[in-house]
Amino acid sequence: MALSRGLRCCQRVFSWIPVLIIASVMLWSYYAYVFQLCLFTLSNTLEKVAYLLVFHVSFGMFSWTYWKSIFTPAASPCKKFQLSYSDKQRYEMEERPDAQKQILVEIARKLPIYTRAQSGGIRFCDRCQVLKPDRCHHCSVCEMVNNCVGFSNYKFFLLFLYYSMLYCIYIAATVFQYFIKFWVGDLPNGPAKFHVLFLMFVALMFFVSLMFLFSYHCWLVAKNRSTLEAFSAPVFVNGPDKHGFNVGIRKNLQQVFGKDRRLWFIPVFTSQGNGHYFPVKNRSECQNPLLANKEMWEESDDASEEGSWGEFEDQDPSVTIEMED
């Protein structure tokens, strides 16, 4: 037991290493740009002030979105998806797989569930003893943020990629002329030379890698797919459909960023819904008998949220966007 606890502790410590590396690069880039370039190299005061002003804005947004991506928790489905004590006993005592599937179908009639397992049955987690909401999966930690990237922080993760790209391209664009001057010897050798040359290489290297990752996630948002859905189409009552949750680019964007465009580029939560129910492209899916009581479920859900939003605040916004590094 002690050994197992020690291994888990070591695993948690090592999982923070990528975050610490990124944070160290961030802090070094701040020192190299602000002190070595702006304060020790630039002589034009107006240029120095302009560089520092724009840099601190981009650095602030980069840091803010990264913080939100790391420390915004992803949780689990709400209590309505958990089996009651009697349902759990009935399910566990039943040995026939077909009968177990039928029990889950009966329970799911009260919930807004569109998708099925590959076998056609209701998606159920034996480990957690809950019916899986649509697009819900167990967390897969993204090493860049040491966190599960899901409904609750997907907007923050996208903004982190966006602002980190802007940060890198801004540094590369403003450092380039001094990079050339140091390279050809127009500026004297000194500590600033190493920092400026290395800053240019690091900024371009990170920009290229982030550009590919950001472009891929922009495509996912435009198609309204999670990473898992990009590889394996979600299964509906009528069969697999990789476009099942695609309701048009505008509405797809609104699901992640919200309707108020003024808040799209600010790392505050504006995503639509609570992560347990997602609109589908084909409205005929609503004929699914599992959704017969969807409206009633939504009404009771809204009524409960009016009194205590905290029930959902710490519980999953269920879609988990698993990252491929």
Side-chain angles (χ1 to χ4, degrees), residues 90-103:
R90 188 158 58 102
Y91 178 81
E92 291 176 349
M93 292 177 65
E94 183 57 67
E95 296 181 354
R96 294 170 300 170
D98 290 342
Q100 286 184 326
K101 287 183 179 180
Q102 186 57 38
I103 291 173

Side-chain angles (χ1 to χ4, degrees), residues 1-13:
M1 180 66 71
L3 179 61
S4 176
R5 190 179 298 111
L7 290 175
R8 287 197 299 270
C9 182
C10 290
Q11 184 180 13
R12 286 195 295 269
V13 171

Side-chain angles (χ1 to χ4, degrees), residues 17 100 128 192 307:
I17 290 179
Q100 286 184 326
C128 302

Side-chain angles (χ1 to χ4, degrees), residues 37-48 178 187:
L37 176 66
C38 293
L39 298 184
F40 299 156
T41 303
L42 298 185
S43 56
N44 188 311
T45 303
L46 184 60
E47 185 181 35
K48 185 185 301 185
Y178 302 98
L187 290 174

Side-chain angles (χ1 to χ4, degrees), residues 77-78 81 113 115 123 130-136 275-276 318:
C78 71
F81 289 86
I113 296 177
T115 55
R123 298 169 65 241
V130 297
L131 295 172
K132 290 185 177 181
D134 292 338
R135 316 180 83 180
C136 178
H276 294 85
S318 61

Side-chain angles (χ1 to χ4, degrees), residues 133-273:
D134 292 338
R135 316 180 83 180
C136 178
H137 302 275
H138 279 291
C139 289
S140 177
V141 174
C142 171
E143 295 179 357
M144 290 179 64
V145 296
N146 191 31
N147 194 10
C148 175
V149 178
F151 177 86
S152 58
N153 64 349
Y154 191 41
K155 175 188 174 182
F156 305 146
F157 181 76
L158 289 172
L159 290 180
F160 157 63
L161 296 179
Y162 174 73
Y163 283 115
S164 57
M165 284 176 53
L166 290 184
Y167 180 70
C168 290
I169 199 65
Y170 173 76
I171 287 178
T174 53
V175 165
F176 180 72
Q177 59 175 314
Y178 302 98
F179 170 84
I180 296 297
K181 290 180 179 179
F182 275 119
W183 189 268
V184 300
D186 288 348
L187 290 174
N189 291 331
K193 180 178 181 178
F194 164 78
H195 289 285
V196 170
L197 295 179
F198 197 56
L199 194 60
M200 185 71 184
F201 285 119
V202 171
L204 290 177
M205 179 183 66
F206 272 88
F207 172 76
V208 172
S209 59
L210 289 167
M211 179 181 64
F212 285 107
L213 184 59
F214 181 69
S215 299
Y216 174 62
H217 279 279
C218 285
W219 178 80
L220 288 178
V221 171
K223 298 292 185 180
N224 204 340
R225 298 178 192 171
S226 68
T227 307
L228 292 179
E229 291 165 355
F231 292 98
S232 178
V235 179
F236 295 84
V237 67
N238 296 325
D241 183 2
K242 63 181 180 180
H243 301 295
F245 293 106
N246 187 353
V247 291
I249 293 180
R250 182 175 63 86
K251 291 184 178 179
N252 292 342
L253 288 172
Q254 288 178 351
Q255 284 191 33
V256 177
F257 296 100
K259 290 187 176 181
D260 190 347
R261 295 188 180 184
R262 296 171 298 179
L263 300 177
W264 278 18
F265 295 96
I266 301 176
V268 294
F269 184 80
T270 55
S271 301
Q272 292 182 332

